[in-house]
Amino acid sequence: MSASVELGLVLALLTAFGSVAGFLYKFKGAREAPEVQLSRPIHSTIELFRSPVYALGILIALISWGFHDGALALAPISLVQSVIAGGLVLLTVAADKLFGLPVARREWIGVGLTATGLAFLAATMSGDTSSAHSRYHPGSLAIFLIVVGVAGLVCCVRVKRPAWLAVSAGLLWATSDTSIKALSSHLSKLGIGVVVQPLAVVILVASLVGLLISARSLQLGDAVPMIALTSAAANLTTIAAGPLVFGEPWPQSTAGQAVRIVAFVLVIVAASLTPPPSAPQQPDAGAPVERMPGPPAAVGGHQGGEP
């Protein structure tokens, strides 16, 4: 493994730390803010930033985003996203121990699955980690971005389903991440000129729209399942971009290919193993209501002593 790829994976690990912390602060801040209206994006964004906690979450996320950009420029995109996906282990610990949010047993099981997946991944990290694998075919990139971006917008249509909104944000961020990876291949040639490259516009729009949709999902759903769904959608899609768009090689042997596939599946399954909490059971309207001991009800349906 080259030194640049190693540095890229270190930056990916820092991205995972920052992503979890930023997400949890954004969750708290979004809950304090007025309801996000996707039809009024500028107004809703301003209202979100009125919350100091949300603004802190965005600041942490921006620092994490900088690490992420560096990681994507230095290391293969599938490995970077696998490391970030593995960082969801930190989500359950931070949510439970630092933020006092409920974490289900199934979510803790994800810790073991993630560790196993990353161990399998490490076993196949030979022969394909000597470069960043940033080159791409414009046609393949365009098709991938259109399919993923449109899928994200379609999921956003179901604005009353927080899980769909979380997946929508993840797909839009995957569109942005894949564009960042592609844009990194032009950095040495264009320099600061990359900011006017068409891919930069895709990055900006997909990131900002995804940010607003994510905030709405955090207002409607619980922190751990919403963050996990967003991260799983983003990571799974960007990992797929490695071989589909950037030509990242797979292990030559059948056993190596099987291990690599199992590694990716385990990491993503672990990230996704945070289902929304089941809704509390409502009492059956036709069932008899159990009354606590007390004075009998008065005529007219009022309790004794009630005017």
Side-chain angles (χ1 to χ4, degrees):
M1 184 188 303
S2 67
S4 63
V5 172
E6 290 179 352
L7 176 59
L9 295 182
V10 170
L11 292 177
L13 186 59
L14 293 175
T15 300
F17 292 148
S19 177
V20 168
F23 241 135
L24 289 171
Y25 278 111
K26 284 188 292 182
F27 169 77
K28 295 190 68 175
R31 288 301 180 97
E32 298 173 356
E35 177 181 335
V36 169
Q37 300 177 44
L38 299 181
S39 59
R40 304 177 64 191
I42 297 177
H43 171 77
S44 294
T45 300
I46 293 174
E47 291 297 326
L48 284 169
F49 274 92
R50 292 184 188 276
S51 167
V53 179
Y54 185 84
L56 175 60
I58 291 295
L59 177 60
I60 296 173
L62 283 175
I63 296 173
S64 173
W65 188 66
F67 289 141
H68 194 192
D69 287 354
L72 289 173
L74 294 172
I77 190 172
S78 59
L79 296 184
V80 169
Q81 297 305 136
S82 295
V83 171
I84 295 174
L88 280 179
V89 169
L90 304 172
L91 172 61
T92 53
V93 177
D96 181 46
K97 304 299 182 183
L98 301 181
F99 287 80
L101 300 173
V103 180
R105 180 181 299 176
R106 289 184 64 181
E107 296 162 9
W108 287 105
I109 295 175
V111 174
L113 289 178
T114 300
T116 304
L118 292 178
F120 284 171
L121 181 62
T124 62
M125 288 171 58
S126 60
D128 63 348
T129 57
S130 58
S131 70
H133 291 288
S134 298
R135 296 186 179 277
Y136 63 92
H137 187 278
S140 299
L141 176 66
I143 292 173
F144 186 87
L145 294 181
I146 291 172
V147 170
V148 176
V150 170
L153 294 176
V154 169
C155 291
C156 173
V157 172
R158 309 194 69 172
V159 293
K160 294 184 179 180
R161 299 290 183 91
W164 283 97
L165 291 175
V167 171
S168 172
L171 292 176
L172 290 172
W173 285 343
T175 303
S176 173
D177 292 343
T178 305
S179 300
I180 291 172
K181 179 66 178 178
L183 193 59
S184 69
S185 65
H186 301 284
L187 187 59
S188 60
K189 181 179 179 181
L190 299 179
I192 192 64
V194 295
V195 298
V196 296
Q197 219 264 358
L199 284 172
V201 177
V202 176
I203 294 168
L204 179 63
V205 173
S207 298
L208 293 180
V209 175
L211 187 65
L212 194 62
I213 294 173
S214 173
R216 184 58 182 151
S217 75
L218 294 175
Q219 288 182 335
L220 294 174
D222 291 335
V224 172
M226 293 304 102
I227 295 172
L229 283 172
T230 300
S231 300
N235 290 325
L236 177 60
T237 309
T238 45
I239 284 173
L244 293 178
V245 177
F246 300 103
E248 293 182 14
W250 290 87
Q252 296 299 317
S253 66
T254 302
Q257 294 175 10
V259 170
R260 173 63 67 90
I261 293 173
V262 169
F264 286 155
V265 169
L266 283 177
V267 171
I268 299 305
V269 167
S272 305
L273 198 59
T274 51
S278 56
Q281 293 184 348
Q282 300 295 330
D284 187 354
V289 178
E290 182 179 353
R291 298 185 179 275
M292 298 297 292
V299 177
H302 295 293
Q303 296 291 331
E306 183 180 346

